[in-house]
Amino acid sequence: MAISDWPLAERPRERLLAKGAAILSDAELLAVLLRTGVRGKTAVELARELLGRFGGIAGLLGAGSALAGVKGLGAAKSAQLGAAIELARRSLHEQLSSGTALTSPGGVRDYLRLALGGREHEVFVCLWLDAQHRVISYQEAFRGTLTQTSVYPREIVKAALAANAAAVIFAHNHPSGIAQPSQADELLTRNLKEALGLVDVKVLDHFIVAGSQAISFAERGLL
């Protein structure tokens, strides 16, 4: 049965307009965005399938180009989802850039998942902060292959001085989907921490992002 055949009080869009978005389930909210389903599936059923395939909202937001490979999604619906994801990413970026101090690893985790979760190549980024841990800038410092990237402490120190930063949060993604830090990741973090310590820049955290996961070195006691 198509959603247009459902009683008005049960249709997601009508429920949203009547009672607000907060009462809708994740699948219903996504269905409103998709607008229509595909052959044999309502928009709600398609939404449930997408959420199941990508492991929920966070996974869907970090799906990136993988959305184009979903059978039946089509260019129009992929574009609609891509636009919504980019709006979410920009909203989080505005919050980071608003001058609010970052006081916990959770303050940047959602933004980094959106920024890095769907990337096909490994990238290393720096969130430069002032003495009150307010964001000065977001910098994509290095970009590598599917498996590795080269990060040079000397260049990171130069970037810290150019930003006049007092602290930094590092992050990089694992396109493999495995979020666990490697020995190389831990060694790199120690080397960067030592190099930046010479110019009085504190390393607050290092995140590894893989899909919808974001692992914090600080939370694991690796800093």
Side-chain angles (χ1 to χ4, degrees), residues 115-192:
L116 301 179
R119 302 290 288 271
E120 296 179 354
H121 289 77
E122 190 167 336
V123 293
F124 187 91
V125 303
C126 308
L127 272 175
W128 298 113
L129 311 173
D130 66 14
Q132 286 74 47
H133 296 170
R134 294 174 299 197
V135 176
I136 298 172
S137 64
Y138 169 95
Q139 177 191 13
E140 185 175 306
F142 299 95
R143 176 175 177 170
T145 66
L146 284 171
T147 57
Q148 64 182 0
T149 191
S150 297
V151 180
Y152 303 101
R154 179 174 180 272
E155 296 302 318
I156 295 296
V157 170
K158 286 170 60 179
L161 294 174
N164 195 27
V168 65
I169 294 173
F170 295 125
H172 76 278
N173 63 317
H174 282 180
S176 64
I178 300 173
Q180 297 301 319
S182 65
Q183 290 185 341
D185 293 331
E186 294 184 34
L187 178 60
L188 171 63
T189 305
R190 288 197 297 270
N191 289 341
L192 292 176

Side-chain angles (χ1 to χ4, degrees), residues 22-35:
I23 70 163
L24 269 62
S25 68
D26 293 348
E28 288 173 325
L29 285 169
L30 185 55
V32 172
L33 182 62
L34 293 171
R35 297 179 58 195

